[in-house]
Short mmCIF file of all heavy atoms in Angstrom, two decimals:
data_model
loop_
_atom_site.label_atom_id
_atom_site.label_comp_id
_atom_site.label_asym_id
_atom_site.label_seq_id
_atom_site.Cartn_x
_atom_site.Cartn_y
_atom_site.Cartn_z
N MET X 1325 -32.28 20.04 29.74
CA MET X 1325 -31.26 20.19 30.76
C MET X 1325 -31.80 19.67 32.10
O MET X 1325 -32.96 19.86 32.41
CB MET X 1325 -30.89 21.68 30.90
CG MET X 1325 -29.68 21.94 31.75
SD MET X 1325 -29.27 23.71 31.72
CE MET X 1325 -29.87 24.17 33.33
N LYS X 1326 -30.92 19.01 32.84
CA LYS X 1326 -31.30 18.51 34.16
C LYS X 1326 -30.42 19.14 35.22
O LYS X 1326 -29.28 19.51 34.96
CB LYS X 1326 -31.16 16.99 34.22
CG LYS X 1326 -32.16 16.28 33.33
CD LYS X 1326 -32.17 14.80 33.62
CE LYS X 1326 -33.19 14.18 32.69
NZ LYS X 1326 -33.90 13.10 33.18
N VAL X 1327 -30.96 19.25 36.42
CA VAL X 1327 -30.20 19.82 37.53
C VAL X 1327 -30.30 18.90 38.74
O VAL X 1327 -31.33 18.24 38.95
CB VAL X 1327 -30.72 21.24 37.87
CG1 VAL X 1327 -32.16 21.21 38.36
CG2 VAL X 1327 -29.81 21.92 38.89
N ALA X 1328 -29.22 18.86 39.49
CA ALA X 1328 -29.21 18.08 40.72
C ALA X 1328 -28.46 18.87 41.79
O ALA X 1328 -27.53 19.61 41.48
CB ALA X 1328 -28.53 16.73 40.50
N VAL X 1329 -28.89 18.71 43.03
CA VAL X 1329 -28.19 19.33 44.16
C VAL X 1329 -27.65 18.21 45.04
O VAL X 1329 -28.39 17.29 45.42
CB VAL X 1329 -29.13 20.24 44.98
CG1 VAL X 1329 -28.42 20.76 46.22
CG2 VAL X 1329 -29.61 21.41 44.12
N ASP X 1330 -26.36 18.29 45.33
CA ASP X 1330 -25.72 17.30 46.19
C ASP X 1330 -26.02 17.66 47.65
O ASP X 1330 -25.50 18.65 48.18
CB ASP X 1330 -24.22 17.32 45.92
CG ASP X 1330 -23.46 16.25 46.72
OD1 ASP X 1330 -23.99 15.80 47.76
OD2 ASP X 1330 -22.35 15.88 46.30
N ASP X 1331 -26.85 16.86 48.28
CA ASP X 1331 -27.27 17.14 49.67
C ASP X 1331 -26.09 17.18 50.63
O ASP X 1331 -26.13 17.87 51.65
CB ASP X 1331 -28.26 16.08 50.15
CG ASP X 1331 -29.56 16.13 49.37
OD1 ASP X 1331 -29.85 17.17 48.76
OD2 ASP X 1331 -30.28 15.12 49.38
N ASP X 1332 -25.05 16.44 50.32
CA ASP X 1332 -23.89 16.41 51.22
C ASP X 1332 -23.07 17.68 51.14
O ASP X 1332 -22.33 18.02 52.06
CB ASP X 1332 -23.00 15.20 50.89
CG ASP X 1332 -23.69 13.89 51.22
OD1 ASP X 1332 -24.54 13.89 52.13
OD2 ASP X 1332 -23.36 12.87 50.57
N ARG X 1333 -23.19 18.39 50.00
CA ARG X 1333 -22.39 19.61 49.83
C ARG X 1333 -23.18 20.87 50.18
O ARG X 1333 -22.59 21.85 50.61
CB ARG X 1333 -21.91 19.71 48.38
CG ARG X 1333 -20.97 18.59 47.98
CD ARG X 1333 -20.45 18.79 46.57
NE ARG X 1333 -19.41 19.79 46.56
CZ ARG X 1333 -18.14 19.55 46.23
NH1 ARG X 1333 -17.78 18.35 45.88
NH2 ARG X 1333 -17.26 20.52 46.24
N CYS X 1334 -24.49 20.87 49.94
CA CYS X 1334 -25.29 22.07 50.18
C CYS X 1334 -25.19 22.49 51.64
O CYS X 1334 -25.35 21.68 52.55
CB CYS X 1334 -26.75 21.80 49.81
SG CYS X 1334 -27.83 23.21 50.17
N ARG X 1335 -24.92 23.81 51.84
CA ARG X 1335 -24.84 24.36 53.19
C ARG X 1335 -25.90 25.43 53.41
O ARG X 1335 -25.83 26.20 54.37
CB ARG X 1335 -23.44 24.95 53.44
CG ARG X 1335 -22.35 23.90 53.53
CD ARG X 1335 -22.50 23.06 54.79
NE ARG X 1335 -21.54 21.96 54.85
CZ ARG X 1335 -21.80 20.73 54.44
NH1 ARG X 1335 -22.97 20.44 53.91
NH2 ARG X 1335 -20.88 19.79 54.53
N GLY X 1336 -26.85 25.51 52.49
CA GLY X 1336 -27.98 26.42 52.69
C GLY X 1336 -27.70 27.88 52.43
O GLY X 1336 -28.35 28.75 53.00
N HIS X 1337 -26.73 28.18 51.57
CA HIS X 1337 -26.43 29.58 51.28
C HIS X 1337 -27.61 30.30 50.61
O HIS X 1337 -27.74 31.51 50.74
CB HIS X 1337 -25.19 29.69 50.38
CG HIS X 1337 -23.94 29.24 51.06
ND1 HIS X 1337 -23.33 29.94 52.07
CD2 HIS X 1337 -23.19 28.11 50.89
CE1 HIS X 1337 -22.25 29.29 52.49
NE2 HIS X 1337 -22.15 28.17 51.78
N GLY X 1338 -28.41 29.57 49.85
CA GLY X 1338 -29.64 30.13 49.31
C GLY X 1338 -29.51 30.95 48.05
O GLY X 1338 -30.50 31.52 47.57
N ILE X 1339 -28.30 31.04 47.51
CA ILE X 1339 -28.12 31.82 46.27
C ILE X 1339 -28.96 31.23 45.15
O ILE X 1339 -29.56 31.97 44.36
CB ILE X 1339 -26.63 31.84 45.89
CG1 ILE X 1339 -25.83 32.55 46.98
CG2 ILE X 1339 -26.42 32.51 44.53
CD1 ILE X 1339 -24.34 32.33 46.89
N CYS X 1340 -29.01 29.93 45.09
CA CYS X 1340 -29.78 29.25 44.03
C CYS X 1340 -31.26 29.62 44.13
O CYS X 1340 -31.90 29.92 43.11
CB CYS X 1340 -29.59 27.74 44.13
SG CYS X 1340 -29.95 27.08 45.77
N CYS X 1341 -31.79 29.64 45.34
CA CYS X 1341 -33.21 29.96 45.53
C CYS X 1341 -33.50 31.41 45.16
O CYS X 1341 -34.58 31.72 44.64
CB CYS X 1341 -33.62 29.71 46.97
SG CYS X 1341 -33.25 28.05 47.53
N ALA X 1342 -32.54 32.30 45.41
CA ALA X 1342 -32.72 33.70 45.05
C ALA X 1342 -32.69 33.88 43.53
O ALA X 1342 -33.45 34.67 42.97
CB ALA X 1342 -31.64 34.55 45.71
N LEU X 1343 -31.81 33.14 42.87
CA LEU X 1343 -31.66 33.29 41.43
C LEU X 1343 -32.78 32.62 40.65
O LEU X 1343 -33.18 33.11 39.59
CB LEU X 1343 -30.32 32.70 40.97
CG LEU X 1343 -29.08 33.52 41.34
CD1 LEU X 1343 -27.82 32.73 41.03
CD2 LEU X 1343 -29.07 34.84 40.57
N CYS X 1344 -33.27 31.49 41.16
CA CYS X 1344 -34.31 30.77 40.41
C CYS X 1344 -35.25 30.03 41.37
O CYS X 1344 -35.19 28.80 41.51
CB CYS X 1344 -33.67 29.79 39.43
SG CYS X 1344 -34.86 29.16 38.22
N PRO X 1345 -36.15 30.78 42.01
CA PRO X 1345 -37.07 30.14 42.98
C PRO X 1345 -38.05 29.18 42.32
O PRO X 1345 -38.67 28.38 43.01
CB PRO X 1345 -37.79 31.34 43.60
CG PRO X 1345 -37.63 32.45 42.63
CD PRO X 1345 -36.32 32.23 41.93
N GLU X 1346 -38.18 29.26 41.00
CA GLU X 1346 -39.08 28.34 40.30
C GLU X 1346 -38.53 26.91 40.31
O GLU X 1346 -39.29 25.95 40.18
CB GLU X 1346 -39.29 28.78 38.85
CG GLU X 1346 -39.96 30.14 38.70
CD GLU X 1346 -39.00 31.31 38.76
OE1 GLU X 1346 -37.80 31.09 39.05
OE2 GLU X 1346 -39.45 32.45 38.53
N VAL X 1347 -37.21 26.78 40.47
CA VAL X 1347 -36.57 25.46 40.41
C VAL X 1347 -36.05 25.02 41.79
O VAL X 1347 -36.18 23.86 42.17
CB VAL X 1347 -35.42 25.46 39.38
CG1 VAL X 1347 -34.60 24.16 39.47
CG2 VAL X 1347 -35.98 25.63 37.96
N PHE X 1348 -35.47 25.98 42.54
CA PHE X 1348 -34.85 25.64 43.82
C PHE X 1348 -35.71 26.16 44.97
O PHE X 1348 -36.10 27.33 44.98
CB PHE X 1348 -33.47 26.30 43.93
CG PHE X 1348 -32.50 25.93 42.85
CD1 PHE X 1348 -32.25 26.81 41.80
CD2 PHE X 1348 -31.83 24.72 42.86
CE1 PHE X 1348 -31.35 26.49 40.80
CE2 PHE X 1348 -30.93 24.38 41.85
CZ PHE X 1348 -30.69 25.27 40.82
N THR X 1349 -35.97 25.30 45.94
CA THR X 1349 -36.68 25.75 47.13
C THR X 1349 -35.93 25.26 48.38
O THR X 1349 -35.37 24.16 48.38
CB THR X 1349 -38.11 25.19 47.18
OG1 THR X 1349 -38.07 23.78 46.98
CG2 THR X 1349 -39.00 25.81 46.13
N LEU X 1350 -35.92 26.11 49.40
CA LEU X 1350 -35.30 25.71 50.65
C LEU X 1350 -36.27 24.81 51.42
O LEU X 1350 -37.44 25.16 51.58
CB LEU X 1350 -34.96 26.93 51.51
CG LEU X 1350 -33.69 27.72 51.17
CD1 LEU X 1350 -33.47 28.80 52.21
CD2 LEU X 1350 -32.47 26.82 51.09
N ASN X 1351 -35.80 23.69 51.88
CA ASN X 1351 -36.67 22.80 52.65
C ASN X 1351 -36.65 23.21 54.13
O ASN X 1351 -35.97 24.17 54.52
CB ASN X 1351 -36.28 21.33 52.45
CG ASN X 1351 -34.87 21.04 52.93
OD1 ASN X 1351 -34.38 21.66 53.86
ND2 ASN X 1351 -34.21 20.08 52.28
N ASP X 1352 -37.37 22.50 54.94
CA ASP X 1352 -37.51 22.87 56.35
C ASP X 1352 -36.18 22.83 57.11
O ASP X 1352 -36.03 23.48 58.15
CB ASP X 1352 -38.53 21.96 57.04
CG ASP X 1352 -39.94 22.22 56.55
OD1 ASP X 1352 -40.17 23.29 55.95
OD2 ASP X 1352 -40.81 21.36 56.77
N ASP X 1353 -35.24 22.08 56.58
CA ASP X 1353 -33.93 21.99 57.23
C ASP X 1353 -32.99 23.11 56.77
O ASP X 1353 -31.85 23.21 57.25
CB ASP X 1353 -33.27 20.64 56.92
CG ASP X 1353 -34.05 19.49 57.53
OD1 ASP X 1353 -34.66 19.69 58.60
OD2 ASP X 1353 -34.07 18.40 56.94
N GLY X 1354 -33.45 23.94 55.83
CA GLY X 1354 -32.62 25.05 55.37
C GLY X 1354 -31.70 24.71 54.21
O GLY X 1354 -30.81 25.48 53.89
N TYR X 1355 -31.93 23.57 53.59
CA TYR X 1355 -31.14 23.17 52.44
C TYR X 1355 -32.03 23.14 51.21
O TYR X 1355 -33.25 23.07 51.31
CB TYR X 1355 -30.49 21.80 52.67
CG TYR X 1355 -29.58 21.80 53.88
CD1 TYR X 1355 -29.94 21.09 55.02
CD2 TYR X 1355 -28.40 22.52 53.88
CE1 TYR X 1355 -29.11 21.11 56.14
CE2 TYR X 1355 -27.57 22.54 54.99
CZ TYR X 1355 -27.93 21.83 56.12
OH TYR X 1355 -27.13 21.85 57.22
N THR X 1356 -31.40 23.16 50.05
CA THR X 1356 -32.17 23.25 48.81
C THR X 1356 -32.72 21.91 48.35
O THR X 1356 -32.04 20.88 48.44
CB THR X 1356 -31.29 23.86 47.70
OG1 THR X 1356 -31.20 25.24 47.92
CG2 THR X 1356 -31.88 23.61 46.32
N THR X 1357 -33.94 21.96 47.88
CA THR X 1357 -34.59 20.82 47.26
C THR X 1357 -34.97 21.18 45.83
O THR X 1357 -35.41 22.29 45.57
CB THR X 1357 -35.88 20.45 48.03
OG1 THR X 1357 -35.55 20.17 49.38
CG2 THR X 1357 -36.55 19.23 47.40
N VAL X 1358 -34.77 20.24 44.93
CA VAL X 1358 -35.24 20.39 43.56
C VAL X 1358 -36.40 19.44 43.36
O VAL X 1358 -36.24 18.23 43.46
CB VAL X 1358 -34.11 20.07 42.55
CG1 VAL X 1358 -34.64 20.08 41.13
CG2 VAL X 1358 -32.97 21.07 42.68
N GLU X 1359 -37.59 20.00 43.14
CA GLU X 1359 -38.78 19.16 43.00
C GLU X 1359 -38.75 18.38 41.68
O GLU X 1359 -39.10 17.20 41.64
CB GLU X 1359 -40.04 20.02 43.04
CG GLU X 1359 -40.27 20.73 44.37
CD GLU X 1359 -40.57 19.77 45.50
OE1 GLU X 1359 -41.04 18.66 45.22
OE2 GLU X 1359 -40.30 20.13 46.66
N ASP X 1360 -38.35 19.07 40.62
CA ASP X 1360 -38.34 18.44 39.29
C ASP X 1360 -36.98 18.68 38.65
O ASP X 1360 -36.62 19.83 38.36
CB ASP X 1360 -39.45 19.07 38.43
CG ASP X 1360 -39.53 18.42 37.06
OD1 ASP X 1360 -38.71 17.51 36.76
OD2 ASP X 1360 -40.41 18.82 36.28
N PRO X 1361 -36.19 17.64 38.45
CA PRO X 1361 -34.84 17.83 37.91
C PRO X 1361 -34.82 18.32 36.46
O PRO X 1361 -33.80 18.81 35.98
CB PRO X 1361 -34.20 16.44 38.02
CG PRO X 1361 -35.35 15.50 38.13
CD PRO X 1361 -36.48 16.24 38.77
N GLU X 1362 -35.94 18.19 35.77
CA GLU X 1362 -36.00 18.64 34.37
C GLU X 1362 -36.22 20.16 34.36
O GLU X 1362 -37.24 20.65 34.83
CB GLU X 1362 -37.14 17.94 33.65
CG GLU X 1362 -37.04 17.96 32.15
CD GLU X 1362 -35.90 17.11 31.61
OE1 GLU X 1362 -35.77 15.94 32.04
OE2 GLU X 1362 -35.14 17.64 30.80
N VAL X 1363 -35.25 20.91 33.83
CA VAL X 1363 -35.31 22.37 33.88
C VAL X 1363 -36.02 22.92 32.64
O VAL X 1363 -35.59 22.66 31.52
CB VAL X 1363 -33.89 22.98 33.96
CG1 VAL X 1363 -33.95 24.50 33.99
CG2 VAL X 1363 -33.14 22.43 35.17
N PRO X 1364 -37.10 23.69 32.84
CA PRO X 1364 -37.76 24.32 31.71
C PRO X 1364 -36.79 25.27 30.99
O PRO X 1364 -35.95 25.90 31.63
CB PRO X 1364 -38.91 25.11 32.34
CG PRO X 1364 -39.13 24.48 33.68
CD PRO X 1364 -37.78 23.99 34.11
N ALA X 1365 -36.92 25.37 29.69
CA ALA X 1365 -35.98 26.15 28.88
C ALA X 1365 -35.85 27.58 29.39
O ALA X 1365 -34.75 28.14 29.40
CB ALA X 1365 -36.42 26.14 27.42
N GLU X 1366 -36.94 28.16 29.84
CA GLU X 1366 -36.89 29.56 30.26
C GLU X 1366 -36.09 29.77 31.55
O GLU X 1366 -35.75 30.90 31.89
CB GLU X 1366 -38.29 30.15 30.39
CG GLU X 1366 -39.13 29.56 31.50
CD GLU X 1366 -40.02 28.41 31.02
OE1 GLU X 1366 -39.62 27.69 30.08
OE2 GLU X 1366 -41.11 28.24 31.60
N HIS X 1367 -35.79 28.69 32.26
CA HIS X 1367 -35.04 28.83 33.51
C HIS X 1367 -33.60 28.32 33.39
O HIS X 1367 -32.85 28.37 34.38
CB HIS X 1367 -35.74 28.07 34.63
CG HIS X 1367 -37.10 28.58 34.95
ND1 HIS X 1367 -37.39 29.93 35.08
CD2 HIS X 1367 -38.28 27.93 35.15
CE1 HIS X 1367 -38.68 30.08 35.35
NE2 HIS X 1367 -39.24 28.89 35.38
N GLU X 1368 -33.21 27.88 32.22
CA GLU X 1368 -31.87 27.29 32.08
C GLU X 1368 -30.76 28.28 32.43
O GLU X 1368 -29.79 27.93 33.10
CB GLU X 1368 -31.68 26.73 30.67
CG GLU X 1368 -32.48 25.47 30.43
CD GLU X 1368 -32.15 24.83 29.09
OE1 GLU X 1368 -31.34 25.41 28.33
OE2 GLU X 1368 -32.73 23.77 28.80
N GLU X 1369 -30.91 29.52 31.97
CA GLU X 1369 -29.86 30.51 32.22
C GLU X 1369 -29.70 30.76 33.72
O GLU X 1369 -28.57 30.82 34.25
CB GLU X 1369 -30.19 31.82 31.50
CG GLU X 1369 -29.05 32.82 31.49
CD GLU X 1369 -29.39 34.05 30.64
OE1 GLU X 1369 -30.26 33.96 29.76
OE2 GLU X 1369 -28.78 35.08 30.90
N ALA X 1370 -30.81 30.90 34.43
CA ALA X 1370 -30.75 31.16 35.87
C ALA X 1370 -30.18 29.95 36.62
O ALA X 1370 -29.44 30.11 37.59
CB ALA X 1370 -32.14 31.51 36.39
N VAL X 1371 -30.51 28.76 36.18
CA VAL X 1371 -30.01 27.56 36.84
C VAL X 1371 -28.50 27.43 36.62
O VAL X 1371 -27.75 27.07 37.54
CB VAL X 1371 -30.77 26.32 36.35
CG1 VAL X 1371 -30.08 25.03 36.80
CG2 VAL X 1371 -32.21 26.35 36.87
N ARG X 1372 -28.05 27.77 35.43
CA ARG X 1372 -26.60 27.75 35.18
C ARG X 1372 -25.89 28.77 36.07
O ARG X 1372 -24.80 28.51 36.60
CB ARG X 1372 -26.29 28.04 33.71
CG ARG X 1372 -26.55 26.86 32.80
CD ARG X 1372 -25.79 26.98 31.49
NE ARG X 1372 -26.08 25.83 30.63
CZ ARG X 1372 -27.07 25.79 29.77
NH1 ARG X 1372 -27.85 26.84 29.62
NH2 ARG X 1372 -27.28 24.71 29.04
N ALA X 1373 -26.49 29.94 36.20
CA ALA X 1373 -25.90 30.97 37.06
C ALA X 1373 -25.83 30.48 38.50
O ALA X 1373 -24.84 30.70 39.20
CB ALA X 1373 -26.72 32.26 36.96
N ALA X 1374 -26.87 29.81 38.95
CA ALA X 1374 -26.89 29.27 40.31
C ALA X 1374 -25.77 28.24 40.49
O ALA X 1374 -25.08 28.23 41.51
CB ALA X 1374 -28.25 28.66 40.61
N ALA X 1375 -25.60 27.38 39.50
CA ALA X 1375 -24.54 26.37 39.59
C ALA X 1375 -23.17 27.04 39.66
O ALA X 1375 -22.30 26.62 40.43
CB ALA X 1375 -24.62 25.43 38.40
N ASP X 1376 -22.99 28.11 38.88
CA ASP X 1376 -21.71 28.82 38.88
C ASP X 1376 -21.46 29.52 40.21
O ASP X 1376 -20.31 29.63 40.65
CB ASP X 1376 -21.68 29.86 37.76
CG ASP X 1376 -21.53 29.23 36.39
OD1 ASP X 1376 -21.15 28.04 36.33
OD2 ASP X 1376 -21.80 29.92 35.39
N GLN X 1377 -22.52 30.02 40.83
CA GLN X 1377 -22.35 30.88 42.01
C GLN X 1377 -22.48 30.15 43.34
O GLN X 1377 -22.16 30.74 44.38
CB GLN X 1377 -23.36 32.03 41.94
CG GLN X 1377 -23.07 32.97 40.78
CD GLN X 1377 -24.04 34.13 40.69
OE1 GLN X 1377 -24.45 34.70 41.70
NE2 GLN X 1377 -24.41 34.50 39.47
N CYS X 1378 -22.92 28.93 43.34
CA CYS X 1378 -23.01 28.20 44.61
C CYS X 1378 -21.60 28.05 45.20
O CYS X 1378 -20.73 27.44 44.58
CB CYS X 1378 -23.62 26.81 44.39
SG CYS X 1378 -23.54 25.81 45.89
N PRO X 1379 -21.38 28.60 46.40
CA PRO X 1379 -20.04 28.54 47.00
C PRO X 1379 -19.57 27.12 47.29
O PRO X 1379 -18.38 26.87 47.40
CB PRO X 1379 -20.19 29.33 48.31
CG PRO X 1379 -21.44 30.12 48.15
CD PRO X 1379 -22.33 29.35 47.24
N GLU X 1380 -20.51 26.21 47.45
CA GLU X 1380 -20.16 24.82 47.78
C GLU X 1380 -20.06 23.94 46.54
O GLU X 1380 -19.78 22.75 46.67
CB GLU X 1380 -21.18 24.23 48.75
CG GLU X 1380 -21.45 25.08 49.99
CD GLU X 1380 -20.22 25.26 50.87
OE1 GLU X 1380 -19.32 24.42 50.81
OE2 GLU X 1380 -20.17 26.28 51.60
N ARG X 1381 -20.32 24.51 45.38
CA ARG X 1381 -20.32 23.73 44.13
C ARG X 1381 -21.24 22.51 44.26
O ARG X 1381 -20.90 21.40 43.84
CB ARG X 1381 -18.90 23.27 43.75
CG ARG X 1381 -17.85 24.35 43.82
CD ARG X 1381 -18.12 25.53 42.92
NE ARG X 1381 -17.81 25.32 41.52
CZ ARG X 1381 -18.18 26.15 40.55
NH1 ARG X 1381 -18.89 27.23 40.85
NH2 ARG X 1381 -17.85 25.92 39.31
N ALA X 1382 -22.40 22.74 44.85
CA ALA X 1382 -23.32 21.63 45.13
C ALA X 1382 -24.27 21.34 43.98
O ALA X 1382 -24.98 20.34 44.01
CB ALA X 1382 -24.11 21.95 46.40
N ILE X 1383 -24.31 22.25 42.99
CA ILE X 1383 -25.30 22.13 41.91
C ILE X 1383 -24.63 21.62 40.65
O ILE X 1383 -23.61 22.15 40.22
CB ILE X 1383 -25.96 23.50 41.65
CG1 ILE X 1383 -26.62 24.02 42.92
CG2 ILE X 1383 -26.97 23.39 40.50
CD1 ILE X 1383 -27.06 25.46 42.83
N THR X 1384 -25.24 20.59 40.07
CA THR X 1384 -24.73 20.02 38.83
C THR X 1384 -25.79 20.12 37.75
O THR X 1384 -26.95 19.78 37.99
CB THR X 1384 -24.37 18.52 39.02
OG1 THR X 1384 -23.46 18.41 40.11
CG2 THR X 1384 -23.74 17.93 37.76
N VAL X 1385 -25.40 20.60 36.58
CA VAL X 1385 -26.31 20.61 35.44
C VAL X 1385 -25.78 19.68 34.37
O VAL X 1385 -24.57 19.59 34.15
CB VAL X 1385 -26.52 22.04 34.87
CG1 VAL X 1385 -27.23 22.91 35.87
CG2 VAL X 1385 -25.20 22.66 34.47
N THR X 1386 -26.68 18.96 33.73
CA THR X 1386 -26.27 18.04 32.65
C THR X 1386 -27.20 18.21 31.47
O THR X 1386 -28.34 18.69 31.64
CB THR X 1386 -26.31 16.57 33.12
OG1 THR X 1386 -27.59 16.29 33.69
CG2 THR X 1386 -25.22 16.28 34.11
FE1 F3S W 987 -27.13 25.04 48.79
FE2 F3S W 987 -25.52 26.18 47.10
FE3 F3S W 987 -28.03 26.68 46.98
S1 F3S W 987 -25.08 25.76 49.22
S2 F3S W 987 -28.76 26.54 49.09
S3 F3S W 987 -27.10 24.71 46.62
S4 F3S W 987 -26.41 28.16 46.69
#
């Protein structure tokens, strides 16, 4: 599974970072960065939850 964050949509709500800090980190500007788009199997559920709960619908999983 892969994950991407749309920089134009992210508003820094931080729900993704709270749900899965192993995958999502807030950068210095207060928006989310994904270091590695390849999601480890053990984090897939949390990443899906983050995608569902992001108010800006900025997270895409494929
Ligand atoms: Fe941004 Fe959504 Fe996360 S707005 S900080 S991708 S919860």
Side-chain angles (χ1 to χ4, degrees):
M1325 190 175 105
K1326 292 191 181 214
V1327 64
V1329 175
D1330 184 338
D1331 294 340
D1332 292 333
R1333 297 184 77 116
C1334 177
R1335 291 291 175 266
H1337 293 289
I1339 297 165
C1340 53
C1341 305
L1343 287 171
C1344 193
E1346 297 86 353
V1347 171
F1348 302 102
T1349 51
L1350 280 185
N1351 62 31
D1352 290 343
D1353 295 328
Y1355 300 111
T1356 283
T1357 302
V1358 173
E1359 296 293 336
D1360 182 358
E1362 199 68 49
V1363 179
E1366 66 267 31
H1367 297 315
E1368 287 187 358
E1369 191 174 337
V1371 169
R1372 283 201 181 90
D1376 287 343
Q1377 294 181 39
C1378 172
E1380 308 298 335
R1381 312 300 282 169
I1383 302 169
T1384 305
V1385 294
T1386 52

